[in-house]
Amino acid sequence: MLRPLFALAFLASPLLATAQPSDDLPVERVILFTSGVGYFEHGGRVTGDSEVVLRFDETALNDVLKSLLVEDTRGRVAGVVYPTQAPVERTLRSFAIDLSQDPSLAGILRQVRGADVVVSTPSGETRGTVVSVELAMRDVGEGVAQVPVLSMLTPSGLTTVRLDTARRLQFTDASLQSELEGALTALAEARGGERKPVRVQFRGNGSRPVRLGYVVESPVWKTSYRLVLPEGDSGEGQLQGWALVENPTESDWRNVDLTLVSGRPVSFIQDLYTPRYVQRPVVVAQDDALVRPETYARSLRRERPAPEAVPDEVDVEDALIGGIVSAGAPAPPPPPPARPLDIAGSVQAQGDAGDFGELFAYRLGDVTLPRRGSAMLPIVADAVEAERLSIYRQSSGLRHPMRGVRLTNTTDKSLRAGPATVLDEGYAGDTQIPDLPAGDERLLTFSLDQDVIVDVVPLPNGSIRITSGRIVDGVLRMQTEQRIATGYQIENRAERSRTVLVEHPRRGNAQLVEPSVADETAPGLYRVRSVVRAGVMDTLIVREAVVTDQRIALATTNPDVIAVWARADGDLPDDVRDALRRAIEQRRELAETERQIRERQREVQEITQEQERIRGNLGAIENDSDYGRRLLTKLNEQETRLETLAEQIDRLEAEANRQRAALRVTVQ
């Protein structure tokens, strides 16, 4: 039974991490997701107060700090210590003994003047306090050279010790010794390059089991399949599935409990490793400043929710990997001699498969995989329903259909997408299996069917026919239908019959007429099946009805157009046809009235233009002259004609309005 250690382990983000665990805590459990993250769990025993060290790439520490889970059943976890991101030189300068400049022994002793030390030389052991370190001329072999000399204050007075003869030097101050050890540890960690130690500190008594887990980026596990087609046109084929798994860690997996999850949990990166500092304001002290009363805004009370009770023990295994069913199956009988390989009898699925919360998982048994190694693990070995098909798609531009299969996932597993090698008395081609839940089906193609030729034969379109019509407020509303036919000439040159599945493009809102129902539909197309015997040429005809909605305003449409629709074939009701016939004469009468109105309006425009010319001439001559009186007489006659035309236009417009109203009929 899994403990609550794993309940939050799948909410971490993907960052590349390579962990090098302690030998006492090997990897025991791995859960890999198709989202590119993996959960790694270590387990083992510790004794007393212990420390377990894991090493990660620096880029992975954000992920580890967010997802690390630790469990000590009979002790406690004191803390998790990890190195700062500060440069090593800055870290070294923080110690009492600064090793950032690579000092010599003399340089170290100069930093600790006043400290008590013990120096061992061939002449004996000297205890005292460091006073100074100087260079002095001393005999060295047959010559003279400068050597470092340590001056010490001892109970008997000042003493000098040649450091080039010192065999051992020890600080008597434990805190100073600890500072030197800390600086050396920082140097060792920096020497490890980008790999940073994460130290998990356990506190307790005796030997006891501990576990820790974390989520880091991991290579996506992949799948590949082998599909053996049935002997007949349809029946049981054999599907063999392999999971391709990689061990990206620096430790070997020995009998690891491996789970492969098909799903993509939410994952993100948050920088937790970089130190953050808050800039604080500088406040100037004003001792002599007057103290003034302050006013404060009213605070809003917010009730804090009570902490939820944590159960003592949660069966997370049932919650996360519940409903597991056996993926193994007894091997089928030996294959017929024609089969070159018996993949069903030689490989069986490893482990169990089932739901993993809202996801699907394959839980494999003990898996052993060397570090930085990869493996193929069998996860599917089941019979599946398969139907042989030749699938033709006109948009491909080829005369040959593709050999394919309708694969139905009759296993109890959810198949993850991956490539598949198709076998049909030998290698037949490659295909791609999409994500396929249990019970679902997909069309797969794997090679060109060169034994079948398909030619598209365009057929003449039918005439436009009215399927329904009515008149509403003088508007003829109709639905018209036109039959469009396409022929597919299929020639089967193979020695066995072929089931050809033709993908016919769907035309907008067209309705299928022949055949009355497609074998199946997909977005933008129909699929129609045709079984063609060996050595036979057959023709598949697909007819569609293109339905169009039309609106015709009787008062503004040419009467000849109305006459065409009144005589058109179709299911136009008799009362609608009668109304259209009446509308033809009414529309002609309205057209005549509108013509007369236009003629009179044109005459009014001509008279108005002529009057402008006459008034211009009158302005240039004497009105009492013969020519002036003539122009005035003509203006008077034109005014009389304009009055007559205005009366006629008003009468004709009234008549046109009456005629238009007569056309605004409603016939349902």
Side-chain angles (χ1 to χ4, degrees), residues 262-573:
S262 180
R264 297 188 178 184
V266 174
S267 186
F268 59 87
I269 300 172
Q270 183 170 351
D271 189 358
L272 300 175
Y273 182 49
T274 304
R276 289 198 295 265
Y277 300 92
V278 178
Q279 187 174 2
R280 297 176 296 167
V282 177
V283 179
V284 180
Q286 297 180 357
D287 297 337
D288 56 349
L290 296 176
V291 179
R292 296 179 175 86
E294 299 286 348
T295 59
Y296 300 91
R298 178 178 178 271
S299 63
L300 299 177
R301 184 182 300 274
R302 183 175 62 181
E303 299 293 338
R304 295 183 179 272
E308 297 182 0
V310 179
D312 295 336
E313 187 171 309
V314 179
D315 191 349
V316 182
E317 183 173 14
D318 291 341
L320 296 183
I321 317 181
I324 303 297
V325 295
S326 173
R339 299 286 184 185
L341 290 174
D342 179 14
I343 68 170
S346 57
V347 177
Q348 290 191 357
Q350 180 176 336
D352 298 324
D355 293 332
F356 191 89
E358 297 296 327
L359 311 175
F360 189 86
Y362 294 92
R363 185 171 183 180
L364 309 181
D366 295 338
V367 174
T368 298
L369 186 60
R371 64 178 184 173
R372 300 293 181 177
S374 304
M376 290 175 55
L377 305 175
I379 56 175
V380 177
D382 296 272
V384 290
E385 287 293 328
E387 179 189 10
R388 296 172 182 265
L389 295 170
S390 293
I391 303 172
Y392 176 76
R393 177 176 293 175
Q394 182 180 351
S395 60
S396 68
L398 301 174
R399 297 181 67 195
H400 300 282
M402 295 294 294
R403 287 189 62 196
V405 62
R406 185 191 304 279
L407 181 67
T408 303
N409 183 5
T410 52
T411 72
D412 54 1
K413 307 172 183 65
S414 181
L415 303 180
R416 183 168 180 258
T421 297
V422 181
L423 303 173
D424 184 18
E425 298 183 0
Y427 174 70
D430 292 333
T431 188
Q432 184 77 17
I433 295 180
D435 290 328
L436 198 60
D440 206 351
E441 64 178 33
R442 290 291 189 278
L443 291 176
L444 310 175
T445 57
F446 51 84
S447 69
L448 191 69
D449 192 348
Q450 296 182 334
D451 293 330
V452 178
I453 298 176
V454 180
D455 290 317
V456 180
V457 181
L459 301 177
N461 298 330
S463 60
I464 298 177
R465 179 175 175 275
I466 300 175
T467 58
S468 65
R470 57 193 178 119
I471 301 176
V472 178
D473 195 22
V475 177
L476 174 61
R477 300 181 179 182
M478 296 182 298
Q479 271 196 343
T480 61
E481 176 187 284
Q482 184 180 22
R483 299 290 177 92
I484 299 178
T486 303
Y488 296 92
Q489 185 173 283
I490 306 172
E491 181 181 359
N492 180 11
R493 298 177 178 178
E495 296 180 355
R496 58 187 297 177
S497 63
R498 286 285 201 270
T499 300
V500 181
L501 195 64
V502 174
E503 289 191 342
H504 179 79
R506 190 171 181 175
R507 305 172 188 270
N509 63 341
Q511 300 175 358
L512 190 64
V513 177
E514 182 182 347
S516 59
V517 179
D519 293 278
E520 56 187 275
T521 59
L525 57 86
Y526 297 109
R527 292 196 181 110
V528 183
R529 177 190 302 262
S530 178
V531 179
V532 184
R533 298 191 308 276
V536 172
M537 179 182 292
D538 197 0
T539 301
L540 172 67
I541 297 178
V542 178
R543 284 190 172 87
E544 297 173 275
V546 179
V547 179
T548 305
D549 291 327
Q550 297 204 25
R551 300 286 188 273
I552 297 176
L554 300 180
T556 58
T557 302
N558 189 293
D560 295 334
V561 175
I562 299 176
V564 171
W565 290 115
R567 295 191 300 268
D569 295 334
D571 299 329
L572 197 63

Side-chain angles (χ1 to χ4, degrees), residues 74 83 140 169 173 203 247 306 367 429 466 513 569 639 652 666:
R74 292 183 303 190
V140 178
L169 188 146
D173 186 350
R203 298 292 181 265
N247 175 7
V367 174
I466 300 175
V513 177
D569 295 334
E639 287 295 325
L652 290 171
T666 297

Side-chain angles (χ1 to χ4, degrees), residues 10 12-15 31-39 215-221 261-267 359 416:
F10 309 105
S13 67
L15 278 175
I31 302 176
L32 301 179
F33 294 84
T34 54
S35 59
V37 296
Y39 170 72
V215 175
V216 289
E217 186 181 50
S218 181
V220 176
W221 68 276
V261 180
S262 180
R264 297 188 178 184
V266 174
S267 186
L359 311 175
R416 183 168 180 258

Side-chain angles (χ1 to χ4, degrees), residues 5 24-26 28 41-48 50-52 69-77 200-204 206-213:
L5 173 64
D24 295 333
L25 261 70
E28 291 187 342
E41 181 183 312
H42 303 259
R45 303 185 70 85
V46 297
T47 303
S50 301
E51 184 178 86
V52 173
L69 300 169
V70 187
E71 177 188 74
D72 188 346
T73 56
R74 292 183 303 190
R76 65 183 181 89
V77 180
V200 183
Q201 299 171 344
F202 296 96
R203 298 292 181 265
S207 177
R208 61 196 185 278
V210 295
R211 290 188 298 175
L212 57 88

Side-chain angles (χ1 to χ4, degrees), residues 167-185:
R167 296 178 177 177
R168 184 173 65 88
L169 188 146
Q170 179 181 0
F171 296 104
T172 59
D173 186 350
S175 62
L176 196 59
Q177 183 78 13
S178 177
E179 286 289 296
L180 180 58
E181 292 175 356
L184 292 173
T185 300

